[in-house]
Amino acid sequence: MRTTRSSHARTLFLDTPDVARLMGVLGVPAALRMLTERLRTDYLRWPEFDKAARIAAYSPQGVIELMPITDGRVYSFKCVNGHPGNGAAGLPTVMAMGALLDCDTGMVRLLSELTLTTALRTAATSALAAQALARPDSRSMALIGNGAQSDFQAIAFHALLGIRDLRLYDVDPDASLRLQRNLAASRLDGLQVRVCDSLAQAVRGADVVTTVTAWQGAARVLTADLLEPGMHLNAVGGDSPGKTELDPAILPRASVFVEFPPQTRKEGEIQQMAADFPVTELWRVLAGQASGRVDERQVTLFDSVGFALEDYCALSFLQAAATQHGVGRWVDITPGQEDPRDLYGWMLAHEQMSVAPA
């Protein structure tokens, strides 16, 4: 006898085409605005979350990480990799998936791709931090490293900070030209995009400098001699032990803001500094408990490594938006048998259903 499927035991599944379709419905700039506000709201709930640094498995080729967090009602996790050599194999450097579960039952409510979504949430987090830390009149940004994340950073800073002058630099000029083409196709009103011949040309006079490179190692993409008073630095690419982008001489000259110090001290730019190097948690600035930018000449640095709260927000955002717009499909992650004790009987019934009649 066929068992009936319990309607409350189904999981919403979103693959990458689903999320792309959802971005088509919402529009990427609007989606980034909504996601940024969701991030702000949940960062203000920071004390409610049970937090831990991510669990990582390292290899010579890269890293695979598990990023869990819960507020006691919903549990979320992301599994994500970082493999800079993947391009040679036709694979993305970063790939991810994640889920939302009910804490009361353990039921998986959402199972989703997070490769595309991680790019969106990282850009939204960068913009959220810059809203708090960059000069309010910031209109120019140097974008150093023009890979998969760069498009999202450019759109977020245009939509949320009013960046109008975008300077691009990458050691691979074709990467900058690709980004320039994509931004032109996106028809972002008032955005002027320039491909620069050198890093110094891109950085000179920029209000914001975003570094988002994939090099796996201790690099000095940005050097201290390029600092100018009032700059906001958005360091995104240094996100694992031994991987950095900034000259360590920059750090004492900047006010440094981080997501979660126990994780950032191991993986961020501040891994280059002593364990007591002073940093300020971003959530405290957003909550008004700590100062962000205090004057126009201050150099501010958001040492961004990515934190599980941001994935919790992104997954929650996807769940709400997909449900509202009818995107995704319902799948059976759990059996949903009428008698929860009769798992074997449920399996037998479905085995019999799979046998074609003679």
Side-chain angles (χ1 to χ4, degrees):
M1 179 179 177
R2 183 173 180 174
T3 57
T4 59
R5 180 63 192 170
S6 175
S7 61
H8 67 273
R10 306 207 77 193
T11 299
L12 179 61
F13 174 68
L14 300 174
D15 61 14
T16 45
D18 290 329
V19 175
R21 190 158 49 251
L22 191 58
M23 292 305 105
V25 171
L26 299 174
V28 173
L32 285 166
R33 290 189 189 97
M34 289 185 281
L35 182 51
T36 299
E37 287 311 305
R38 185 149 202 147
L39 282 162
R40 185 189 307 277
T41 297
D42 282 333
Y43 260 109
L44 292 175
R45 296 200 298 126
W46 183 266
E48 298 177 23
F49 287 89
D50 183 6
K51 299 170 286 292
R54 52 193 169 204
I55 303 163
Y58 299 99
S59 71
Q61 291 74 35
V63 62
I64 298 174
E65 298 171 325
L66 184 65
M67 302 172 65
I69 195 168
T70 183
D71 63 356
R73 295 183 295 275
V74 176
Y75 178 96
S76 80
F77 72 86
K78 178 171 79 172
C79 183
V80 60
N81 79 300
H83 286 72
N86 270 4
L91 293 171
T93 299
V94 175
M95 299 174 284
M97 54 78 66
L100 291 177
L101 293 79
D102 286 341
C103 286
D104 287 347
T105 65
M107 176 64 201
V108 182
R109 294 302 179 188
L110 175 71
L111 179 63
S112 178
E113 80 81 40
L114 283 182
T115 304
L116 178 54
T117 305
T118 291
L120 290 161
R121 73 82 157 137
T122 302
T125 303
S126 293
L128 175 65
Q131 286 177 333
L133 302 174
R135 297 195 321 271
D137 62 350
S138 295
R139 294 296 177 266
S140 60
M141 181 168 80
L143 185 48
I144 312 304
N146 299 157
Q149 172 64 211
S150 60
D151 310 66
F152 300 89
Q153 293 281 333
I155 295 170
F157 274 79
H158 176 263
L160 287 139
L161 270 85
I163 292 297
R164 294 291 180 267
D165 174 19
L166 183 65
R167 301 94 169 271
L168 311 181
Y169 178 73
D170 195 290
V171 292
D172 177 5
D174 288 341
S176 299
L177 293 173
R178 176 208 61 80
L179 174 56
Q180 187 180 44
R181 288 193 302 270
N182 282 356
L183 294 176
S186 297
R187 299 180 181 178
L188 302 172
D189 184 42
L191 181 65
Q192 300 296 316
V193 181
R194 293 185 284 160
V195 176
C196 297
D197 296 326
S198 68
L199 185 143
Q201 182 187 28
V203 169
R204 190 177 301 118
D207 301 317
V208 177
V209 178
T210 290
T211 57
V212 58
T213 62
W215 178 256
Q216 191 78 20
R220 296 187 180 184
V221 174
L222 190 66
T223 53
D225 60 294
L226 295 175
L227 283 188
E228 296 179 14
M231 273 184 172
H232 172 62
L233 309 180
N234 177 39
V236 181
D239 57 2
S240 61
K243 182 182 178 187
T244 59
E245 295 182 310
L246 303 186
D247 179 350
I250 289 175
L251 299 173
R253 296 175 56 182
S255 300
V256 181
F257 300 84
V258 303
E259 293 142 312
F260 185 56
Q263 180 172 296
T264 311
R265 290 194 186 276
K266 295 179 181 179
E267 300 185 347
E269 297 298 331
I270 59 172
Q271 67 183 281
Q272 305 176 86
M273 311 306 289
D276 60 351
F277 179 79
V279 299
T280 302
E281 293 173 275
L282 177 62
W283 80 270
R284 294 188 180 279
V285 178
L286 299 176
Q289 297 183 13
S291 297
R293 173 171 293 275
V294 296
D295 62 62
E296 291 186 353
R297 296 182 61 80
Q298 178 185 11
V299 175
T300 53
L301 165 60
F302 180 45
D303 189 1
S304 169
V305 298
F307 186 59
L309 174 62
E310 296 148 21
D311 303 306
Y312 169 98
C313 294
L315 287 162
S316 300
F317 166 73
L318 286 180
Q319 183 184 43
T323 301
Q324 178 182 355
H325 295 285
V327 175
R329 59 189 182 273
W330 293 94
V331 297
D332 298 332
I333 298 297
T334 57
Q337 65 272 29
E338 287 184 344
D339 181 353
R341 299 166 298 181
D342 193 14
L343 181 60
Y344 187 75
W346 177 91
M347 185 185 71
L348 287 177
H350 282 73
E351 281 181 350
Q352 294 166 7
M353 289 166 51
S354 67
V355 177

